Amino acid sequence: MTGNTKASSAAVYYDPFDFGIDDDPYPVWKRLRDEAPLYWNEAYKFFALSRYDDVAQALPDWQAYRSGRGTIPEVIFSGMEIPPGIILFEDPPIHDLHRKLLAKVFTRRRMMAVEPLVRRHCVAALDELVGRPEFDVIADLGTLIPMRTIGYLLGIPESAQAGIRDNTDRQLTLADGTLQELDADSFHHSNDLIADYIDWRADHPSDDLMTELLHAEIEENGERRRLTRTEVLTYTNTIAGAGNETTTRLVGYMTQLLAEHPAQLAEVAADRSLIPNVVEETLRFEAPSPVQARWMARDVEVHGQVVPKDTVMLLLNGSANRDERHYENAGSFDIHRTEGHLAFGYGLHLCLGAALARLEGQVALDEMLKRWPNWTVDRSRAELAHTSSVRGWATLPVLV
């Protein structure tokens, strides 16, 4: 690295494990974009890209920016061996085989069937809150809807869903604002939570993804084979975990941002056709998954510097979504904005569940507006969930 990069790195510090930064990373991310667009962290030995154009170019470039060693900072820093079947942590060609297989859960037929299901869950959850002066939108809505929906798609019984969700929370949560040690046992423990049910489902097939996975075949090295039991377990847990966390954070951020912009809340309450706009602007303004880790498979030149092979790169899509070079008034929440965003990634790792997350967010907001045309939030009692890969509210009191 040249002196310019080192000087910029010394002037601004970014640490994905620091709670003080994570509480409000946007000032630090702005400084990265302005002062150190290619940032080097000496303590943890990683690079970071924060501008929109750089992140958008890197995300689809799997030949250079590899996912196979993990896309969550703790995982990639640990150097642990990744169990097969975690599509988020795979590269082509195996990624493409597995993605094609898992895409079956998000077929058009299933998405059409999901909307009324999501609405029934929202109605049941919100009707219980009517008449109360306040509620926690995370505990009372945000954590319930995505897990019940993904449980339906996968075929996971409701009795097992809470345990899977809680285990995902434990895996992602940072204990003390520093890098935590991980090993493959954490993934195997996740599998144990539903192992018995998968064995039961093998003898009692149904119209769900778990049944399809148990009977699916993939072609590998010129031969077709059934998925192993471990692969089915890993696939199921991967989808269940990913489908739960980001949607929960989306619901919380929508609730908060509209409360803090009452004119826009009144506007969408009067015109429900704006609901999809609210979802997209929330995803841009507060990306639930704002940091993507990659392993450099070859040397890449960025901003006149060479990023060496076999180093770690963090792609800050949460920062890119607020890059003033790409968005007009990037730091303002505006439900009439029409530009896209990188909240769901880009390229071959574009989030498989993006359409489902959007649907859940839209239905949840619509049902909230039916009951309460306006609300406020109590930030003094709100708590953020601290992880290095998912940002959002763990608790958010809503006053109605």
Side-chain angles (χ1 to χ4, degrees), residues 131-158:
R132 289 167 48 176
E134 70 171 75
F135 59 89
D136 180 1
V137 75
I138 303 301
D140 295 327
L141 182 65
T143 60
L144 301 178
I145 303 310
M147 194 67 252
R148 287 176 180 172
T149 304
I150 208 72
Y152 161 77
L153 291 170
L154 289 170
I156 300 173
E158 193 167 321

Side-chain angles (χ1 to χ4, degrees), residues 91-110:
D91 298 303
I94 193 65
H95 166 274
D96 298 342
L97 289 173
H98 290 168
R99 186 180 179 94
K100 182 178 180 181
L101 186 64
L102 293 183
K104 292 181 178 181
V105 74
F106 301 113
T107 62
R108 179 174 176 79
R109 176 179 67 86
R110 280 204 169 98

Side-chain angles (χ1 to χ4, degrees), residues 83-134:
I86 303 179
I87 191 171
L88 299 174
F89 303 161
E90 291 181 336
D91 298 303
I94 193 65
H95 166 274
D96 298 342
L97 289 173
H98 290 168
R99 186 180 179 94
K100 182 178 180 181
L101 186 64
L102 293 183
K104 292 181 178 181
V105 74
F106 301 113
T107 62
R108 179 174 176 79
R109 176 179 67 86
R110 280 204 169 98
M111 289 303 99
M112 290 177 65
V114 160
E115 195 276 342
L117 176 80
V118 173
R119 196 167 295 277
R120 285 198 301 272
H121 286 324
C122 285
V123 168
L126 293 175
D127 278 353
E128 292 186 6
L129 308 177
V130 173
R132 289 167 48 176
E134 70 171 75

